[in-house]
Amino acid sequence: MKNYETLVDATNDLMKRGYTANLSLDGDTIDDKEKDIRMTADDFEIDEFYRFEGPSNPSDMSIVYAVSSSKYNLKGVLVNAYGTYADDSSSALAAKLHHGQVSHNLHGDDRPTAYVSRKP
């Protein structure tokens, strides 16, 4: 995974790499309003994600997702808050967005430790 200085840098690079749909979170779906597409947790994959913290305010936290859907033949960017201002999505969508379902794609230091299963 790449390392970006800012949320804008990440978004711009993802768009250059084909993640052109502007996605938004709407309750229990991720939507491409331009194409009138509403995706549930089963309709998309999270290919990459990048967390950012505000330089002057640690509660200013956001995350950029690179999302793809073979069902709808689209690749797009979703920007969402985490921490204090996190969404209140359904449990399936929240699990996917909060990395429980993408952890298997990550290795070493990239793995979010809060979601790594540790067996004795």
Side-chain angles (χ1 to χ4, degrees):
M1 292 195 12
K2 295 185 178 204
N3 192 10
Y4 298 105
E5 291 290 321
T6 67
L7 183 140
V8 173
D9 292 341
T11 303
N12 287 342
D13 186 57
L14 289 170
M15 291 182 76
K16 287 178 188 172
R17 293 191 286 134
Y19 291 89
T20 55
N22 183 15
L23 303 175
S24 61
L25 187 63
D26 188 11
D28 295 341
T29 61
I30 290 180
D31 302 344
D32 180 345
K33 293 186 189 298
E34 185 177 304
K35 295 181 182 174
D36 198 28
I37 294 172
R38 298 174 58 85
M39 297 182 288
T40 64
D42 293 333
D43 295 334
F44 67 90
E45 296 299 323
I46 298 172
D47 301 329
E48 302 173 35
F49 63 91
Y50 304 93
R51 296 180 193 202
F52 297 93
E53 197 172 280
S56 62
N57 185 354
S59 67
D60 242 358
M61 298 183 289
S62 59
I63 189 163
V64 175
Y65 297 94
V67 175
S68 63
S69 172
S70 56
K71 178 177 181 177
Y72 293 107
N73 192 29
L74 71 76
K75 289 171 66 174
V77 175
L78 172 69
V79 179
N80 193 26
Y82 70 95
T84 305
Y85 300 105
D87 63 83
D88 60 350
S89 307
S90 73
S91 59
L93 191 60
K96 196 164 212 171
L97 291 179
H98 296 293
H99 317 299
Q101 296 179 20
V102 296
S103 291
H104 69 279
N105 292 328
L106 304 176
H107 305 284
D109 293 339
D110 292 334
R111 284 189 93 116
T113 56
Y115 299 99
V116 175
S117 174
R118 303 218 189 273
K119 296 183 181 180

